[in-house]
C-alpha cells in the first residue's frame, strides 16, 4: 500500500488495505527465487501450481474490485459461462507456456494498486451491490464494499496457505517457521 494513500484513509480502510497488503506479501514470498518452470510445477495431488495461484488470486481480486465499482455485471452470471470462458477460467490456475512468473507478479501488483485506488475513492464501505447469479451465492444476496474487501482478503489468505504447502513440497522452503 502506498504511504501517501494511507494517510488520507479512514482507520478502517487503512486497516483493511494494510491487512490485504500483508497477505499479498505472504503469497508473493512463496514464489521467491523460483524459475518459471518451478512456478509451473505441480507438487501435490491438486492441479494447483504456484504461478497459477498468483494468476488466480489476481483475477479474483480484479473481478471483485470491479464489482465494487460496477456491481454484478463486472462478474457476470456463472450459469451462463460458455465452454471457452470455462476453459479460460481453468487456465487461471496454471502458469501457461509463454507466461512468466515475473509477468504474473507484475500484473498482481497492478491489480493491487487499482484495488487500493478504488477503495480510497469509494463513497462509503456500506454501499451494497447484489451478488451475481451463482450456485454458491444465496439468491438475492447483497454484499457491502466492506464484505467484498473481506472476501478478497479471505481468498488471498486461503491461497497463500495453499501456496505455502505447494512451495514446501517443491523444495522444502517455508513462508514461516
Amino acid at each position: 500500500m502506498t504511504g501517501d494513500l494511507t494517510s488520507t484513509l479512514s482507520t478502517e480502510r487503512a486497516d483493511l488495505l494494510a491487512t490485504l497488503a500483508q497477505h499479498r506479501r505472504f503469497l508473493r514470498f512463496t514464489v521467491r527465487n523460483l524459475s518459471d518452470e518451478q512456478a509451473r510445477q505441480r507438487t501435490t495431488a491438486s492441479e494447483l501450481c504456484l504461478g497459477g495461484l498468483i494468476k488466480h488470486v489476481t483475477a479474483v481480486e480484479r473481478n471483485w474490485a470491479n464489482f465494487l465499482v460496477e456491481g454484478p455485471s463486472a462478474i457476470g452470471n456463472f450459469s451462463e459461462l460458455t465452454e471457452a470462458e470455462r476453459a479460460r477460467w481453468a487456465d487461471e490456475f496454471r502458469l501457461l507456456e509463454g507466461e512468466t512468473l515475473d509477468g504474473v507478479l507484475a500484473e498482481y501488483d497492478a491489480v493491487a494498486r487499482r484495488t487500493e485506488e478504488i477503495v480510497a475513492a469509494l463513497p462509503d464501505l456500506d454501499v451494497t451491490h447484489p451478488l451475481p447469479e451463482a450456485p454458491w451465492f444465496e439468491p438475492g444476496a447483497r454484499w457491502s464494499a466492506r464484505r467484498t474487501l473481506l472476501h478478497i482478503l479471505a481468498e488471498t489468505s486461503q491461497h497463500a496457505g495453499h501456496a505455502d504447502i505447494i512451495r514446501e513440497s517443491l523444495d522444502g522452503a517455508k513462508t514461516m517457521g
Side-chain angles (χ1 to χ4, degrees):
M1 190 167 54
T2 52
D4 56 325
L5 181 62
T6 307
S7 63
T8 63
L9 296 179
S10 69
T11 301
E12 181 183 19
R13 289 179 200 227
D15 285 351
L16 286 167
L17 289 175
T19 303
L20 179 56
Q22 177 184 19
H23 287 274
R24 286 186 196 119
R25 281 190 300 277
F26 290 150
L27 179 58
R28 288 180 63 87
F29 191 66
T30 62
V31 298
R32 69 196 178 283
N33 304 319
L34 289 182
S35 68
D36 293 338
E37 191 53 44
Q38 288 172 307
R40 282 186 189 90
Q41 190 174 341
R42 290 179 42 214
T43 63
T44 66
S46 168
E47 291 290 324
L48 299 174
C49 68
L50 292 168
L53 276 174
I54 301 287
K55 281 177 58 177
H56 173 67
V57 171
T58 300
V60 165
E61 184 169 330
R62 179 187 304 111
N63 288 341
W64 286 108
N66 289 340
F67 173 81
L68 289 170
V69 177
E70 302 167 28
S73 65
I75 297 176
N77 183 338
F78 291 96
S79 63
E80 296 175 358
L81 289 179
T82 66
E83 285 303 313
E85 290 167 330
R86 289 181 192 281
R88 276 194 303 278
W89 180 78
D91 283 346
E92 245 178 46
F93 295 91
R94 300 181 301 138
L95 187 63
L96 303 173
E97 288 300 321
E99 294 177 329
T100 66
L101 183 56
D102 286 344
V104 297
L105 287 169
E107 181 64 16
Y108 191 35
D109 289 343
V111 167
R113 282 189 303 277
R114 182 169 178 270
T115 299
E116 292 170 1
E117 291 167 359
I118 288 170
V119 171
L122 287 172
D124 187 341
L125 293 180
D126 291 327
V127 171
T128 67
H129 291 296
L131 291 175
E133 289 185 35
W136 47 86
F137 295 134
E138 182 181 329
R142 297 179 70 88
W143 277 6
S144 67
R146 180 182 297 100
R147 171 97 184 256
T148 303
L149 284 170
L150 290 170
H151 179 71
I152 294 169
L153 176 58
E155 280 274 334
T156 304
S157 300
Q158 178 181 17
H159 291 308
H162 293 147
D164 202 28
I165 292 166
I166 293 168
R167 178 63 190 259
E168 188 173 357
S169 297
L170 178 68
D171 64 3
K174 297 179 184 178
T175 302
M176 294 184 184

